[in-house]
Structures are given as structure tokens and as C-alpha cells.
Amino acid sequence: MFIEDTTKFIEEKTNGYKPEIGIILGSGLGELADEYCDIAVSYSEIPHFINSTVRGHKGRLVFAEIEGKKVVMMQGRNHFYEGHSMQEITYPVKVMKKLGVKTLILTNAAGAVNETYKPSDLMLIKDHINCMGSNPLIGANDESMGERFPDMSEVYKKDLRDIAKKSAEKLAIDLKEGVYLANTGPSYETPAEIRMARLVGADAVGMSTVPEAIVANYCGLRVLGISCISNAASSENGDALSHAEVIDITNRAKAKFKSLIKEIITSC
Ligand code: HPA
């Protein structure tokens, strides 16, 4: 079995480290794993892992104790737009489950759809809309992981969102809460597509997170999602959008982001 090869390798590499919290760090948000790093394992070394290719992503699994909790962080994620399958990009979530993770914190950089959001705002994901045209659970179902038709009525757990809100309040961080819509990318949205996203009830738009959230929910992980708003998604004002800008804004938000994550970890 694939997954046993992977977990056995990781357990050997980490002397049986038993993380209880998993964090997937999005574009420009990987610094937490530079600050806290007990053991790092490169994706390229791990059997059946694929290597991250996007700028702003490092491509390693980082094990560390943060605020007294054992955590495993993905410093860099793989995306559907890189040409990997939905099953491949969500494989690490299943591996985390097998390693003993109970809570998964998903993070990303996202464009604002909600007109009240500003670049560098943080948004708690309340729910999502999958516009990727596929689903990572397509294919034969492994009943030992989860059921064929998983319920999706509360993917982003209310109790975790409450913890995140209390943490933000304590740190005086203005935390938005909204719906994340996932497109495949890699092209950014047109102004018309952003208007459509607004009409269907989205607050932010991005190219990740939803596949991982679907798999995490399926295999019984408690999920929390946080988006760092890196830009106003629509270029209706005529300003072109670049990946460099996305990284630049997330860089500016990362101190706030890191302190929020640390505070959340203490309570979950
Ligand atoms: N659209 C999609 N994905 C993104 C964006 C965006 O505007 N910003 C960061 N990731």
C-alpha cells in the first residue's frame, strides 16, 4: 500500500513524531515553518509525494512544537493547475490523518470578491464553493478512510471558527469571515467571473484549499481555513494582477497571520 510506505518513511525520519495539528501553509505564508522547525523532510525524499514547483513555496514537511502542541506543517502545497491529479494534491492530507493529526488548518492567499475586503485582510473560511470541476474523492472509495458520500454541512467546524474569532479578538486583529470559492487557475479571474462569484455568494477566490478541505472532512479531520486577502480579485479598475503582488501583500500580512495561528494553536 502506497500510504503505508509514506507514513513508515516519515515515522522513521521523525523518530515517531506524533503531530496532533496539521497546517498547510499557502503562498507567502511559509515563514511559520522557518521560525518553528524541529525536523524538516523534503517532499522530494518522501515516497509518493510530489514536489512543489510554485514560486513562494518551499516543498517540505516541517515538524515542530508550537505553543506546546506537536504540529506538522506543509511548507508549500501542490496545486491542480500544475497538472497533478486531485488525488495527488490531496494525498498529504490522508498521510497527516494516518500520522495521527486531528485538526487541520488550511491557509491560502486569495483575491477579494467582497468589496469591503482590503489587501492584507485575513478571512476565516466559513464555507466553500467548489468551481474546480472535479472532486478528489472521485474513484474507488477506501472505506477505512471515510464513506462514499460524505456529509459536507459543516466542513469548517464552528467550534474552531469560534476559537479563531476569540483569538483574533484577543490580538485586536480584524478577522473577516466569508465563503471561499475555488477555481482551478492558473489564470486569475476576469472582471465578469468576479461578478459571477459575487452573485453566487463568494467573498474570496483562490486556486487551492477546497480539495484538501473535502478530503480532510471525508477522513474525519476537524478543519479550519484562513485566507490572506492578497488583492482585489477583479481588475475592473484596469490594474493588472501579478503573482509578485500576491506574494508582496501576503508578506506584509504574515506577522499578523503568524500571531493569529499561534494563538489559535494554544486553544485548539
Ligand atoms: N484569484 C485566484 N487566486 C488567487 C488570487 C486571485 O485573485 N489571489 C491569490 N490567489
Side-chain angles (χ1 to χ4, degrees):
M1 269 281 281
F2 262 33
I3 203 144
E4 269 84 50
D5 293 345
T6 309
T7 47
K8 192 163 169 276
F9 175 87
I10 293 170
E11 278 161 359
E12 278 170 15
K13 268 271 176 188
T14 61
N15 294 318
Y17 208 95
K18 284 260 165 277
E20 50 184 309
I21 299 173
I23 310 178
I24 301 185
L25 296 164
S27 296
L29 302 170
E31 210 180 81
L32 192 70
D34 290 325
E35 195 174 318
Y36 293 89
C37 176
D38 296 339
I39 309 161
V41 191
S42 233
Y43 297 160
S44 58
E45 288 180 65
I46 307 175
H48 314 302
F49 255 55
I50 38 178
N51 233 327
S52 177
T53 59
V54 189
R55 284 177 293 154
H57 288 269
K58 237 175 194 165
R60 54 188 204 153
L61 219 47
V62 171
F63 294 79
E65 204 167 296
I66 305 181
E67 306 291 331
K69 302 266 172 72
K70 286 204 163 80
V71 172
V72 55
M73 288 172 273
M74 283 188 75
Q75 197 173 24
R77 58 149 63 83
N78 293 296
H79 298 85
F80 192 49
Y81 62 71
E82 292 168 276
H84 310 299
S85 70
M86 280 276 167
Q87 288 75 15
E88 284 168 332
I89 62 172
T90 53
Y91 182 69
V93 174
K94 294 182 184 166
V95 170
M96 286 190 190
K97 167 77 182 179
K98 292 274 184 196
L99 290 175
V101 165
K102 301 278 183 289
T103 303
L104 181 63
I105 304 177
L106 296 168
T107 72
N108 59 51
V113 171
N114 186 315
E115 284 164 309
T116 68
Y117 292 3
K118 302 177 303 301
S120 94
D121 275 348
L122 297 179
M123 183 192 88
L124 191 56
I125 304 178
K126 185 178 189 177
D127 201 351
H128 75 224
I129 301 172
N130 180 10
C131 287
M132 296 180 109
S134 189
N135 189 300
L137 302 178
I138 289 174
N141 186 46
D142 176 357
E143 290 288 328
S144 73
M145 274 281 175
E147 56 186 289
R148 173 79 291 188
F149 301 108
D151 171 61
M152 294 283 286
S153 55
E154 198 187 296
V155 175
Y156 305 89
K157 294 287 170 276
K158 167 103 176 36
D159 60 332
L160 288 177
R161 283 187 279 127
D162 286 344
I163 288 173
K165 286 181 212 172
K166 282 208 185 83
S167 304
E169 210 177 292
K170 186 170 165 193
L171 299 169
I173 291 171
D174 172 25
L175 182 64
K176 313 288 187 199
E177 186 176 29
V179 173
Y180 176 91
L181 182 148
N183 284 321
T184 62
S187 47
Y188 290 118
E189 293 71 25
T190 63
E193 285 164 344
I194 292 306
R195 285 196 297 277
M196 181 182 79
R198 211 170 276 140
L199 277 177
V200 298
D203 296 287
V205 65
M207 308 173 192
S208 67
T209 304
V210 164
E212 293 113 318
I214 292 171
V215 170
N217 175 67
Y218 154 80
C219 65
L221 295 176
R222 299 162 74 229
V223 179
L224 180 75
I226 297 175
S227 293
C228 174
I229 302 299
S230 55
N231 54 283
S234 147
S235 47
E236 266 172 310
N237 57 7
D239 292 343
L241 175 60
S242 69
H243 184 65
E245 179 186 340
V246 167
I247 297 294
D248 179 47
I249 298 287
T250 42
N251 271 340
R252 282 192 246 162
K254 67 191 176 192
K256 185 167 66 167
F257 168 82
K258 274 196 299 184
S259 53
L260 179 62
I261 295 284
K262 280 190 265 181
E263 187 61 37
I264 292 170
I265 287 173
T266 57
S267 323
C268 74

